[in-house]
Amino acid sequence: MKTKLYAIGVGPGDPELLTLKAKRIMNSVDVLLCPVKKMGASSYALEIVSPNLDEDVHVFELLYPMHYDKDALNTQWIENGLIISNLLKSGKSCAFITLGDPTVYSTFMYTLPYIDEAYFDLEVVPGITSFCAVAAVAKQPLMLWEEGLTIIPVRKNDREALMASIQAHENIVLMKPTSDTSAIISILKALKLEDKFMLISKVGREDTLVITDIEALEKGKLPYLSTMIIKKGGFYA
Amino acid sequence: MKTKLYAIGVGPGDPELLTLKAKRIMNSVDVLLCPVKKMGASSYALEIVSPNLDEDVHVFELLYPMHYDKDALNTQWIENGLIISNLLKSGKSCAFITLGDPTVYSTFMYTLPYIDEAYFDLEVVPGITSFCAVAAVAKQPLMLWEEGLTIIPVRKNDREALMASIQAHENIVLMKPTSDTSAIISILKALKLEDKFMLISKVGREDTLVITDIEALEKGKLPYLSTMIIKKGGFYA
């Protein structure tokens, strides 16, 4: 018999950016699946939902280490898929909570192929993405009219491809720009985009930081949780 | 004296995809600003929030006609900006509700430059975007790992640029693909992407439609409210 598996986006960090649907479902399932970096460590997704989580919900931790060894990760996903399959097989409905939106770089989607499809019906509950939260803090449109938007995760040692992408597009979101800040600074200068960027850090926290000055970008030790918006048409005053 | 102006994303259509923050704020302001196509016509954004809107909230309609005459639209934005400025000047806090997210093609952002900044402090409350809602219905990741995502609004008579964009990117969301369905069909065929697309219509409604078959795409009279996802890496089974 099939039971229900939900993938729930909990948004970028502010507990109030949870949807009504996410709140209802996470409090109605038998098991709430929470990704953690280390067993026993705190889960950021769980912190976000905590203020709206009923006391009697059964929280179950799943290990998702923060490294990039794909073989080791894959082994972990298979193991997590097996754990989730067993929970579903025993008839327990499950909700997997994920930062932001489940379709945007989420651990859930890496695990999904390893969950035995005999045991569940999947429902994906969308969440607020980090780039929309960042644009909200910046009070800037990501795109208008007939403009497109390109979202690029920044990698180390990939300067040429990054340069080509930034050159080719009108509106750009760079995810994890601190992966190669110096490359971004030189690209912004080379393309004369010094006045066309905003870097926003720590969205949804008290110490949110917005940098629009290229010199501040050069001097600053930038937080890991940063996002950059580049708009060639410029920003609202 | 400055009062508060909120731009609130109400999500793609399902009233439960409203955030807790949107619900709290829309019920706390003096005036709820609702875009309508015609004065007296129903507002889709208002329909979405209605189930969670207190009875005593003052709803104020603002005219946003559905045509693309930029001069006429601009005149309308100036007029709406003046109306909003006057409300704010009189000390009334206002929340402007917008479909999806306020930073993604929203009428609010067109109006913002015409609202007198002397009278308000702006707060933007992000919403669930249509493309995340579409990916949730499709149960597919928009992007994984180091992949990017490009969102392209489809225009009429722009086949070459569209072809080049689709060719250049790994993961693509086409907004309003019915603007030129025949161009899209021929591009999908030319690039051998017949098995790499999903067209999703009427998200959040009872009659949601998912098309993955190119022949169905050719035969169908497709709804205006459609979105296409193209993933060159293919889809989950």
Side-chain angles (χ1 to χ4, degrees):
Chain A
M1 213 202 69
K2 290 193 177 190
T3 183
K4 210 62 186 185
L5 171 62
Y6 298 93
I8 297 184
V10 303
D14 179 348
E16 260 203 306
L17 289 181
L18 200 71
T19 63
L20 304 176
K21 191 167 193 172
K23 181 178 173 178
R24 173 177 62 79
I25 291 173
M26 76 187 191
N27 286 313
S28 73
V29 291
D30 296 317
V31 181
L32 191 73
L33 302 168
C34 298
V36 293
K37 290 173 211 172
K38 276 197 265 184
M39 293 315 277
S42 68
S43 157
Y44 189 37
L46 184 59
E47 276 176 41
I48 293 170
V49 301
S50 285
N52 293 291
L53 191 64
D54 296 345
E55 276 183 21
D56 60 350
V57 174
H58 178 198
V59 173
F60 191 102
E61 293 183 352
L62 289 169
L63 183 62
Y64 285 88
M66 287 287 280
H67 59 67
Y68 294 93
D69 174 346
K70 284 204 189 180
D71 285 340
L73 286 178
N74 208 67
T75 304
Q76 191 65 53
W77 298 336
I78 292 171
E79 194 176 312
N80 290 345
L82 195 63
I83 293 169
I84 298 170
S85 298
N86 282 331
L87 285 166
L88 296 165
K89 189 179 176 182
S90 72
K92 293 194 190 298
S93 60
C94 295
F96 189 116
I97 53 174
T98 178
L99 275 178
D101 178 88
T103 73
V104 176
Y105 305 117
S106 88
T107 45
F108 175 77
M109 285 295 176
Y110 300 127
T111 314
L112 179 57
Y114 304 110
I115 309 175
D116 191 331
E117 59 184 359
Y119 302 125
F120 70 93
D121 289 312
L122 175 63
E123 183 172 344
V124 180
V125 180
I128 303 291
T129 60
S130 64
F131 50 88
C132 285
V134 161
V137 167
K139 303 174 189 180
Q140 298 292 334
L142 286 170
M143 63 268 234
L144 293 170
W145 287 111
E146 292 160 336
E147 298 171 356
L149 174 70
T150 292
I151 299 153
I152 307 167
V154 176
R155 292 176 282 190
K156 261 180 207 159
N157 304 319
D158 198 27
R159 195 172 291 219
E160 267 181 55
L162 187 60
M163 173 97 165
S165 285
I166 293 175
Q167 204 154 16
H169 298 101
E170 175 80 8
N171 298 312
I172 301 145
V173 170
L174 298 181
M175 311 284 283
K176 297 190 184 159
T178 56
S179 301
D180 200 344
T181 312
S182 70
I184 292 170
I185 290 169
S186 61
I187 292 168
L188 291 173
K189 286 182 173 177
L191 298 178
K192 304 203 181 307
L193 297 172
E194 293 99 325
D195 299 326
K196 311 287 188 186
F197 81 90
M198 281 193 175
L199 182 118
I200 302 103
S201 299
K202 300 187 184 175
V203 159
R205 302 197 188 183
E206 296 282 315
D207 53 345
T208 298
L209 184 73
V210 179
I211 294 178
T212 57
D213 176 1
I214 191 106
E215 284 178 29
L217 204 64
E218 283 175 301
K219 278 181 212 156
K221 171 102 184 70
L222 304 171
Y224 174 75
L225 285 176
S226 298
T227 305
M228 184 178 284
I229 303 175
I230 300 172
K231 286 184 71 74
K232 292 188 183 163
F235 290 94
Y236 284 3
Chain B
M1 215 201 71
K2 288 192 178 193
T3 183
K4 208 65 182 175
L5 171 63
Y6 299 93
I8 297 183
V10 303
D14 179 348
E16 260 202 304
L17 290 181
L18 200 70
T19 64
L20 304 176
K21 191 167 193 171
K23 181 177 172 180
R24 174 177 61 80
I25 290 173
M26 76 189 192
N27 286 311
S28 74
V29 291
D30 295 318
V31 180
L32 192 72
L33 302 169
C34 298
V36 293
K37 290 174 214 174
K38 275 196 265 186
M39 293 315 279
S42 67
S43 156
Y44 189 36
L46 184 59
E47 277 177 38
I48 293 170
V49 301
S50 285
N52 293 291
L53 191 64
D54 296 344
E55 275 183 22
D56 59 351
V57 174
H58 178 198
V59 172
F60 191 103
E61 295 183 350
L62 288 170
L63 182 62
Y64 285 89
M66 288 287 278
H67 59 68
Y68 295 91
D69 173 346
K70 283 203 189 179
D71 286 340
L73 286 177
N74 210 67
T75 304
Q76 191 66 53
W77 298 337
I78 293 171
E79 194 175 313
N80 290 345
L82 196 63
I83 293 169
I84 298 170
S85 297
N86 281 331
L87 285 166
L88 296 165
K89 190 179 176 182
S90 72
K92 292 192 189 299
S93 61
C94 295
F96 190 114
I97 54 174
T98 175
L99 274 178
D101 178 87
T103 73
V104 176
Y105 304 117
S106 87
T107 44
F108 175 76
M109 284 295 177
Y110 300 127
T111 314
L112 179 57
Y114 303 111
I115 309 174
D116 192 332
E117 59 185 359
Y119 303 125
F120 69 93
D121 288 312
L122 176 64
E123 184 172 343
V124 180
V125 180
I128 303 291
T129 60
S130 64
F131 50 88
C132 285
V134 161
V137 167
K139 301 173 189 182
Q140 299 291 335
L142 285 171
M143 64 268 234
L144 293 170
W145 288 110
E146 292 160 336
E147 298 171 357
L149 174 70
T150 293
I151 300 154
I152 306 167
V154 176
R155 292 177 281 190
K156 262 182 207 158
N157 305 317
D158 198 24
R159 193 173 291 220
E160 267 181 53
L162 186 60
M163 174 96 164
S165 284
I166 293 176
Q167 205 154 15
H169 297 102
E170 175 82 9
N171 298 311
I172 301 145
V173 170
L174 298 182
M175 310 286 282
K176 299 193 183 157
T178 56
S179 302
D180 200 345
T181 312
S182 70
I184 293 170
I185 290 169
S186 62
I187 292 168
L188 290 173
K189 286 183 173 176
L191 299 177
K192 303 204 182 305
L193 297 172
E194 293 99 324
D195 299 326
K196 310 289 187 186
F197 80 91
M198 280 193 174
L199 183 119
I200 302 104
S201 298
K202 299 187 186 177
V203 160
R205 301 197 188 184
E206 296 282 314
D207 53 346
T208 297
L209 184 73
V210 179
I211 294 177
T212 57
D213 176 2
I214 191 108
E215 286 177 29
L217 204 63
E218 283 174 301
K219 277 180 211 154
K221 172 103 183 65
L222 304 171
Y224 174 75
L225 284 175
S226 298
T227 304
M228 183 177 285
I229 302 174
I230 300 173
K231 285 183 71 75
K232 292 187 183 162
F235 291 94
Y236 284 5

